[in-house]
Amino acid sequence: MFRSESTQPNDKPQGLPWRVKLVILALVVAAIGVVLVSNRWLTERFTETNRNRSDVRLALYSGNLVSELQRTSVVPLLLARDPDLIAALKDGNFSRTSAKLIALQAEIGVAAIRLLDIDGRVVGATNRNILGANFRQEGYFVDAQRTNETIFTSSPRESGGYDFSYSRAIRSDGKILGVIVVSVDLLKYERAWSGLNDAVVVTNSEGTVILTTVPSWRGRPLNEAMARGEPLSALERAIQASTDWARPRTDAWMQGDPVMKTEARIPFRGWRIVTFTDYTQVRERVNGILALEIMGFAILMSIAFYFLTRRAWSRSWSLARESAELRALNVRLQREIAEREKVEANLQVAEQTLEQSSKLAVLGEMSAAVSHELNQPLAAMKTYLAGARLLLQRKRPEEALSSFQRIDDLIDRMGSITRQLKSYARKGGEAFEPVDLRACVSSALAMMEPQLKSRVVKIVRGMPRQPVMVMADRIRLEQVIINLLRNALDALREVEKPQIELLLAAGETATLTVRDNGPGIIDLDNLFEPFYTTKKPGEGVGLGLAISSGIVTDLGGRLTAHNGEAQDGAQGGAVFEMQLPILGDARQAAE
């Protein structure tokens, strides 16, 4: 009787409407709340992301401008002391002056060079079309004669924009013979910025636009350039008011449109650089995610409506079937756990045996390993010494000091290598520390830089923006990467266009892939065996990959190799993959 009474209401169409309505109403309210909160949070997040990217770009742009200005500012000082130019101004013989300036321009890499005599007449120039022109009224000519320093001048052009130049008076025996003028090509950065969606502006200390991706702004005050030509219409104001709820606080308005303003100071004469980014990209990304959220809630409402309108017996039968399946799954899981525990016990015994064997094998490889690991820094030292000798011959002692500093760093590194190799037979973890794998790759490339440059090898790097942290010994990890680069470099001796790819990916593990476009690996089975090598006698002892494999194993990872697939008629080359546990799992694996 109880069951028949309880099933009768379910047959009526009014049995569950109020529940369905309540659930649907709750889902609608939840959807509205989630969409509103998500819109605000995502908009702020994406806006902050764009702002951070703009800050990074501004720092890069500012650094490029300052570097170009500083590099060019030294040229007038050097040319003002050039004996050939001084002699030409004294003798009035300028037959070879333009040729010399053109050669200097090609060597130094400046925009243009002009030599003016005491009357302001161009007597030598990289642009022969202006020879004989008179610039005695120009500011860079007049100001240069009033001081013994190099003068920077920015002068407006008739066609729009500004010309930037450094000038310095050429003196001999206390007399002014002429003025050397070196132009700075800052317009190349303006052309590079024009390919961006953002508006980039550089202003001088007075707030006047001197460089910009918007041609109509040049030579105008920034506030005036940004002003809208005509007021908003009633329709435009209505549309703007309807969209303001989805937009964060506006930094600035550019011709009536809201933009995000990012500003930075350029450490040169009070200059500033500003970028203006509209909110279209942010709005598009936010709208895409909101559309997915709304779609998800619509699907969820459909599913809830379907399940809430099913009869009670269907729910009971479904629950009973799921309960039986869960019981069967529980039995299978218990059986698999027991089998896994048995396999792990056997694996632990095998690992202990292998560890003892590895210790005995390493003791026999120590003497050869020292010789192999020290060959790389010794080769780099030889290259740096040759470079330093050449720099000293060219009277560039400051740059030679940097080579000697690198040699000193290599000597310290050799000491670290010998200390690491002496303790290589021990499985200690006292030298383990959190290490950014990206920094190890950069350090290894710096170590191999002389060899890579001498062979003209193209390096292709694919690195994530976020740090890839692992628990490792930094020196030994760098040794592994150097050995892989060394092997790739040796495999590219006969390749016409050598190329090495380094790809770093972070997922469940940190995976570093080193690939070359050489002939590939002949014998994969014996590749990691000690003393196995395909090199000629005297070029290698065959311990690099064996030692590298042992180091990676000590770090809780593994080192594998295979041949890549040929693409577009080119050789597939050899592919080495080093997998290490991400920090968090790495400490336990290393221990």
Side-chain angles (χ1 to χ4, degrees), residues 532-544:
Y532 171 78
T533 180
T534 58
K535 302 176 183 177
K536 297 179 181 180
E539 295 181 354
V541 297
L543 283 174

Side-chain angles (χ1 to χ4, degrees), residues 482-589:
I482 291 173
N483 285 341
L484 296 180
L485 290 172
R486 186 74 178 183
N487 285 340
L489 192 61
D490 293 338
L492 298 175
R493 291 181 178 179
E494 305 299 331
V495 177
E496 182 178 358
K497 295 181 179 180
Q499 176 176 308
I500 300 177
E501 297 180 9
L502 294 97
L503 304 177
L504 179 60
E508 296 182 357
T509 61
T511 303
L512 175 64
T513 303
V514 180
R515 176 174 182 167
D516 61 63
N517 60 342
I521 304 171
I522 300 176
D523 188 359
L524 288 170
D525 296 333
N526 298 321
L527 184 63
F528 296 102
E529 293 295 329
F531 302 102
Y532 171 78
T533 180
T534 58
K535 302 176 183 177
K536 297 179 181 180
E539 295 181 354
V541 297
L543 283 174
L545 291 178
I547 294 175
S548 299
S549 179
I551 292 175
V552 175
T553 301
D554 292 344
L555 300 179
R558 65 172 184 168
L559 180 63
T560 59
H562 63 275
N563 288 322
E565 297 180 0
Q567 297 179 355
D568 299 332
Q571 300 181 97
V575 181
F576 288 85
E577 290 186 357
M578 178 181 65
Q579 296 181 350
L580 293 173
I582 294 292
L583 184 61
D585 299 330
R587 186 186 301 273
Q588 181 178 358

Side-chain angles (χ1 to χ4, degrees), residues 3-15:
R3 291 185 178 178
S4 62
E5 292 176 358
S6 62
T7 56
Q8 286 178 359
N10 292 334
D11 295 334
K12 296 180 181 180
Q14 297 83 6

Side-chain angles (χ1 to χ4, degrees), residues 224-273:
E224 177 185 335
M226 293 176 58
R228 184 181 175 94
E230 56 186 11
L232 293 175
S233 64
L235 179 60
E236 290 174 333
R237 289 195 299 270
I239 295 176
Q240 177 179 308
S242 64
T243 57
D244 280 346
W245 71 274
R247 183 187 301 121
R249 183 177 57 85
T250 300
D251 294 339
W253 293 84
M254 187 174 66
Q255 297 182 351
D257 297 326
V259 292
M260 181 177 63
K261 178 181 179 182
T262 308
E263 186 175 2
R265 185 181 66 87
I266 300 177
F268 182 81
R269 294 179 174 267
W271 288 11
R272 303 191 70 83
I273 183 168

